[in-house]
Amino acid sequence: MKWTQARRAQKMNPSVIREILKVTEKPGIISFAGGLPSPKTFPVSAFSAACEKVLREDGHAALQYAASEGYAPLREMVASMLPWNVDPALVLITTGSQQGLDLIAKVLIDEGSRVLVETPTYLGALQAFTPMEPEIVSVASDDGGVDIADLAAKAEGARFFYVLPNFQNPTGRTMPEERRAALSAEAARLGLPLVEDNPYGDLWFDTPPPLPLTARNPEGCVYLGSFSKVLAPGLRLGFMVAPASIFPKLLQAKQAADLHSPGFNQRLVAEVMKDGFLDRHVPTIRALYKSQRDAMLAAMVREMPEGVEWNTPAGGMFLWVRLPEGMNAIELLPRAVERNVAFVPGWAFYADQPDARTLRLSFVTSSVAQIDIGIAALAGAIREMRAGSSASVAGAAPQLEAQPQT
Amino acid sequence: MKWTQARRAQKMNPSVIREILKVTEKPGIISFAGGLPSPKTFPVSAFSAACEKVLREDGHAALQYAASEGYAPLREMVASMLPWNVDPALVLITTGSQQGLDLIAKVLIDEGSRVLVETPTYLGALQAFTPMEPEIVSVASDDGGVDIADLAAKAEGARFFYVLPNFQNPTGRTMPEERRAALSAEAARLGLPLVEDNPYGDLWFDTPPPLPLTARNPEGCVYLGSFSKVLAPGLRLGFMVAPASIFPKLLQAKQAADLHSPGFNQRLVAEVMKDGFLDRHVPTIRALYKSQRDAMLAAMVREMPEGVEWNTPAGGMFLWVRLPEGMNAIELLPRAVERNVAFVPGWAFYADQPDARTLRLSFVTSSVAQIDIGIAALAGAIREMRAGSSASVAGAAPQLEAQPQT
């Protein structure tokens, strides 16, 4: 039987993160690798009550086919939650915000289209865009996010710039107000559409992040949001807000992709969120993640050898680490796994020219006690590697190198 | 702001069926249009018990991120349900079987690739394939399904043949055993992959349909199934079984599309299905739909003027009707809606050269009493139209003609 695959299939690759998760699946490992919210934050009893109520009061409708746009009360809640004037008719409920990236790729990317991303950027976005065969171009970025001059230099003919301004995945960095203002103005000047991804924005620790880019120019931006980090990822619900000029095409792509997102899940989320639930619930997530970030920062200071650098994220889920000159995070991984600790090499998050010294640590999945043990073990692996005994390294590294991401 | 859409976006169109549903949304209308399962068949209390149990026993895992392949126990249940030897490792849980079509399109269709479909075929498949810009070629079909000689004549270079052998949407027809055997042999001879879509196979009325095509040659087929018709569509869960040679690419496309289907929903379905629930539940759906099909057939015999033709589906949800020579189902629709009855013109289901005399009637959503009234009203509209008063027709028809499907 002759199965001829599409050319784009050759460009698809397994998620490096999922491959790493497999490599690191051993009993007792402390994983800073996956971006998994702490299950402690899932409001299980609120969902249980919502299930009972929705099925009792509205069971037949909740289990029937439904509108591709999404459940109207949920669309209205989303619109009213956002800090700018949003028409609920321009809110599209998606099967996780990952689906929003897939729909954007279908509607906005032709083969060879230039698409701009930050350096580094969210791996899942690279995976969603790649099947539509764009030319993905990395824009230089620093601790405050994208370099505006480099963006302008590369913007000619670009379909959009994909940007994650709040507690970015993978770096944890946040774009400050002045940079946002400058980016928004420059994008408007260039006529460059922005795709703003904001899954982590509510997870701030001390002060809320500055206003989203979309709030500054709704006609020039598509905005992606998620319920995965403030409620639970296992319901697979996110949303997008798009300008009226492209909303109908995104909706048609949504219809063709999965008809609609589960109506039952949409009603559960609407039921749980009513009466200001998030206002009471999200602060508990912030407090938990802040304590874990603090624990990780303290452990880093205590344990890490000289020359290791890291940032201090003001929210979100991730810390970004850079190893000393000459070291490589991919080679470090198997040594760390031997010591029962895992992370994601930063390599996976670059559209081109990876910085092999970087790595991503999630501080949200592990407890403070685990963080203390895990960071000490990681520091031990770094010291060992630095000492130069490279003979014992095997396993994860060659496997990963065989599967470049883009 | 300059939003440049992808070329494929120009080829996307709103679902004609959804547009029709909007046209026909008026109070008191009897709709034979949408393919909506009867809500009476949704096992609401079983789902309610399952929600309680899953959240109590396994809440944190059910609400967490999960494997892209799907929930392992559900994959095993699917494998064991199917009437051939299926490796659970080759079962992929999808966000409705519609998503399976989207993944197949991404993995198997290049721009200009030849894709074969039946005449007529499922509209949602045309919508899922179209964004990847194939050349869709209709294969001649009769009451027994595809014309094997015409298939062979058109198969050269085709990526696959998309086929719905059981109680097809839109025609309700079923491919008999001899035709399946011949199709399977011919596809093997031609090296032509088959994509077999089977959402309705369990909804047989008197005897089960013949063995699926995939059972005869698993290496040459992708098989799509759904929980929407035997449990509930609002959970958006389906599955696909694919050969090992293409499974990894379908899985990578799935990861990029929505990471995974909702783990909570997958656990609910697994919990409801255990202990042979479907063996007790599905016969009640069959009995209900059979009684409604019988009522519709009886009403057709009683009411329809001479020259109107229809088939006798042996299962599923749809009856296929052909108007007398010279009549047009699109022009009939507004007259029918005036009389408070709706249907889908067959026109929407043809990849090319529609038969304008055809229309699809769903017998599953309306009660027997509504079917009696609705068919009488439809017959009245046909008689009126035949009598030739074409002056009052307005509304739906021109709107629909402005939006061809492919």
Side-chain angles (χ1 to χ4, degrees):
Chain A
M1 191 55 55
K2 189 173 156 244
W3 291 95
T4 302
Q5 294 182 12
R7 198 181 45 196
R8 79 178 64 77
Q10 312 310 320
K11 302 185 181 176
M12 297 180 193
N13 281 294
S15 159
V16 169
I17 293 181
R18 283 178 186 269
E19 297 304 303
I20 288 170
L21 291 179
K22 281 180 200 166
V23 171
T24 61
E25 263 173 15
K26 55 180 236 186
I29 201 155
I30 293 172
S31 181
F32 304 136
L36 306 181
S38 171
K40 283 185 239 176
T41 68
F42 302 159
V44 177
S45 63
F47 277 121
S48 194
C51 284
E52 194 278 324
K53 184 152 186 271
V54 165
L55 287 175
R56 178 166 42 82
E57 294 184 354
D58 202 21
H60 286 160
L63 296 172
Q64 185 58 284
Y65 283 114
S68 300
E69 292 87 342
Y71 180 53
L74 184 61
R75 299 169 76 201
E76 284 160 21
M77 283 181 176
V78 167
S80 66
M81 268 165 31
L82 293 171
W84 71 96
N85 188 13
V86 175
D87 180 352
L90 298 179
V91 174
L92 179 61
I93 304 295
T94 55
T95 308
S97 67
Q98 181 72 28
Q99 186 182 52
L101 297 169
D102 175 68
L103 304 181
I104 286 166
K106 283 176 176 153
V107 169
L108 294 178
I109 300 176
D110 280 311
E111 186 200 339
S113 294
R114 170 170 284 226
V115 167
L116 306 178
V117 300
E118 295 174 275
T119 305
T121 189
Y122 170 53
L123 174 63
L126 297 176
Q127 289 185 294
F129 299 158
T130 295
M132 299 304 115
E133 307 180 82
E135 178 202 13
I136 296 180
V137 176
S138 283
V139 180
S141 308
D142 59 26
D143 291 348
V146 64
D147 178 322
I148 307 286
D150 196 51
L151 181 78
K154 292 172 175 167
E156 177 70 31
R159 292 291 168 95
F160 59 85
F161 172 46
Y162 170 73
V163 58
L164 230 154
N166 294 328
F167 325 127
Q168 196 228 24
N169 183 354
T171 62
R173 73 187 173 210
T174 297
M175 197 178 289
E177 172 56 33
E178 315 77 65
R179 189 75 64 95
R180 290 181 199 224
L183 171 57
S184 188
E186 186 67 10
R189 191 186 70 79
L190 295 164
L192 175 68
L194 301 180
V195 173
E196 179 174 29
D197 197 358
N198 190 23
Y200 311 108
D202 289 315
L203 305 180
W204 48 267
F205 298 152
D206 296 308
T207 53
L211 206 60
L213 297 160
T214 307
R216 299 154 203 259
N217 182 12
E219 288 304 310
C221 302
V222 173
Y223 181 90
L224 301 174
S226 175
F227 298 107
S228 293
K229 277 71 186 184
V230 294
L231 286 173
L235 299 174
R236 308 304 307 121
L237 286 181
F239 56 87
M240 60 200 303
V241 182
S245 58
I246 61 164
F247 186 90
K249 288 294 170 191
L250 291 166
L251 176 61
Q252 289 158 26
K254 165 72 180 168
Q255 287 180 349
D258 63 2
L259 300 184
H260 62 90
S261 295
F264 179 56
N265 304 33
Q266 294 185 61
R267 279 175 171 78
L268 290 186
V269 165
E271 176 63 28
V272 165
M273 289 207 308
K274 73 180 192 192
D275 305 328
F277 176 83
L278 290 184
D279 295 340
R280 302 186 298 278
H281 179 61
V282 176
T284 67
I285 307 177
R286 288 180 196 133
L288 177 70
Y289 289 179
K290 183 182 178 184
S291 71
Q292 293 176 188
R293 177 207 60 173
D294 289 345
M296 188 171 276
L297 288 171
M300 294 292 286
V301 170
R302 200 163 60 231
E303 305 287 351
M304 284 295 156
E306 208 186 341
V308 179
E309 296 165 0
W310 60 91
N311 62 353
T312 299
M317 299 170 46
F318 305 112
L319 202 74
W320 190 240
V321 180
R322 195 151 185 255
L323 299 172
E325 180 78 42
M327 290 187 72
N328 181 316
I330 294 177
E331 290 169 14
L332 176 65
L333 183 61
R335 292 176 188 274
V337 171
E338 269 172 35
R339 291 170 178 256
N340 283 327
V341 61
F343 60 85
V344 180
W347 169 82
F349 301 100
Y350 291 83
D352 51 35
Q353 297 183 314
D355 179 347
R357 289 163 60 189
T358 57
L359 57 99
R360 188 190 78 176
L361 299 179
S362 162
F363 50 78
V364 300
T365 317
S366 305
S367 67
V368 166
Q370 289 171 320
I371 288 170
D372 286 346
I373 297 168
I375 294 297
L378 181 61
I382 293 172
R383 276 192 297 267
E384 178 195 68
M385 188 170 164
R386 202 180 215 181
S389 62
S390 64
S392 75
V393 175
Q399 233 176 306
L400 290 168
E401 285 176 331
Q403 294 167 334
Q405 198 50 40
T406 57
Chain B
M1 191 53 57
K2 188 172 157 247
W3 291 95
T4 303
Q5 294 183 12
R7 197 182 44 195
R8 78 177 66 77
Q10 313 309 320
K11 303 184 180 178
M12 296 179 192
N13 282 294
S15 161
V16 169
I17 294 180
R18 282 177 188 269
E19 297 305 303
I20 287 170
L21 292 178
K22 281 180 199 164
V23 170
T24 61
E25 262 172 14
K26 55 180 234 184
I29 202 157
I30 293 171
S31 179
F32 303 136
L36 305 181
S38 171
K40 284 186 238 175
T41 68
F42 302 159
V44 177
S45 63
F47 277 120
S48 194
C51 285
E52 195 277 324
K53 183 153 187 269
V54 165
L55 287 174
R56 178 166 43 82
E57 295 184 353
D58 202 20
H60 286 160
L63 296 172
Q64 185 58 283
Y65 283 114
S68 300
E69 293 87 341
Y71 180 53
L74 184 60
R75 299 169 77 202
E76 285 161 21
M77 282 180 178
V78 166
S80 67
M81 267 165 31
L82 293 171
W84 72 96
N85 189 15
V86 175
D87 181 353
L90 298 179
V91 174
L92 179 61
I93 304 297
T94 55
T95 308
S97 66
Q98 182 72 28
Q99 184 182 53
L101 298 169
D102 174 69
L103 303 179
I104 286 167
K106 283 176 175 152
V107 169
L108 294 178
I109 300 176
D110 280 310
E111 186 201 339
S113 294
R114 171 171 284 227
V115 167
L116 306 178
V117 300
E118 294 174 274
T119 306
T121 190
Y122 170 53
L123 175 65
L126 297 176
Q127 289 185 293
F129 299 157
T130 295
M132 299 304 115
E133 305 181 83
E135 177 202 12
I136 296 181
V137 176
S138 283
V139 180
S141 308
D142 58 25
D143 290 349
V146 65
D147 178 321
I148 306 288
D150 196 51
L151 181 78
K154 292 172 175 167
E156 178 71 32
R159 292 289 169 95
F160 59 84
F161 172 45
Y162 170 72
V163 57
L164 230 154
N166 294 327
F167 324 127
Q168 197 228 23
N169 183 353
T171 62
R173 73 188 173 209
T174 297
M175 197 177 291
E177 172 57 32
E178 315 77 65
R179 189 74 64 96
R180 292 182 197 222
L183 170 57
S184 188
E186 187 66 11
R189 191 186 71 80
L190 295 164
L192 176 68
L194 302 179
V195 172
E196 180 175 28
D197 197 357
N198 190 22
Y200 311 108
D202 289 316
L203 305 180
W204 49 268
F205 298 152
D206 296 307
T207 54
L211 205 60
L213 297 160
T214 307
R216 299 156 203 257
N217 182 12
E219 289 304 310
C221 302
V222 173
Y223 181 90
L224 301 174
S226 174
F227 298 107
S228 292
K229 277 70 185 186
V230 294
L231 285 173
L235 299 173
R236 307 305 306 123
L237 286 180
F239 57 87
M240 61 199 304
V241 182
S245 57
I246 60 165
F247 186 89
K249 288 295 170 191
L250 292 166
L251 176 60
Q252 288 158 27
K254 165 73 180 166
Q255 286 179 350
D258 64 2
L259 300 184
H260 62 88
S261 296
F264 179 55
N265 304 33
Q266 294 186 61
R267 279 175 172 78
L268 289 186
V269 165
E271 176 63 27
V272 165
M273 289 207 307
K274 73 178 192 195
D275 305 328
F277 176 82
L278 290 184
D279 295 340
R280 301 186 299 277
H281 179 62
V282 176
T284 67
I285 306 178
R286 287 179 198 135
L288 177 70
Y289 290 179
K290 183 182 178 184
S291 72
Q292 292 176 188
R293 177 206 61 173
D294 289 346
M296 187 171 276
L297 288 171
M300 293 292 285
V301 169
R302 202 166 55 233
E303 305 288 351
M304 283 297 156
E306 209 186 341
V308 178
E309 295 165 3
W310 60 91
N311 62 354
T312 299
M317 299 170 47
F318 305 112
L319 202 73
W320 190 241
V321 179
R322 195 152 184 253
L323 299 172
E325 180 80 43
M327 291 186 73
N328 182 316
I330 294 176
E331 290 170 13
L332 177 65
L333 184 61
R335 292 176 188 271
V337 171
E338 269 172 35
R339 291 170 179 255
N340 283 327
V341 60
F343 60 85
V344 180
W347 169 83
F349 301 100
Y350 291 83
D352 50 35
Q353 297 184 314
D355 179 347
R357 289 162 61 188
T358 58
L359 58 98
R360 188 190 77 175
L361 299 179
S362 161
F363 50 78
V364 301
T365 319
S366 304
S367 68
V368 167
Q370 288 171 319
I371 287 170
D372 285 347
I373 297 167
I375 294 296
L378 181 61
I382 293 171
R383 276 193 297 268
E384 178 196 68
M385 188 170 164
R386 203 181 216 182
S389 62
S390 64
S392 73
V393 175
Q399 231 177 308
L400 289 167
E401 285 176 332
Q403 295 167 334
Q405 198 49 42
T406 56

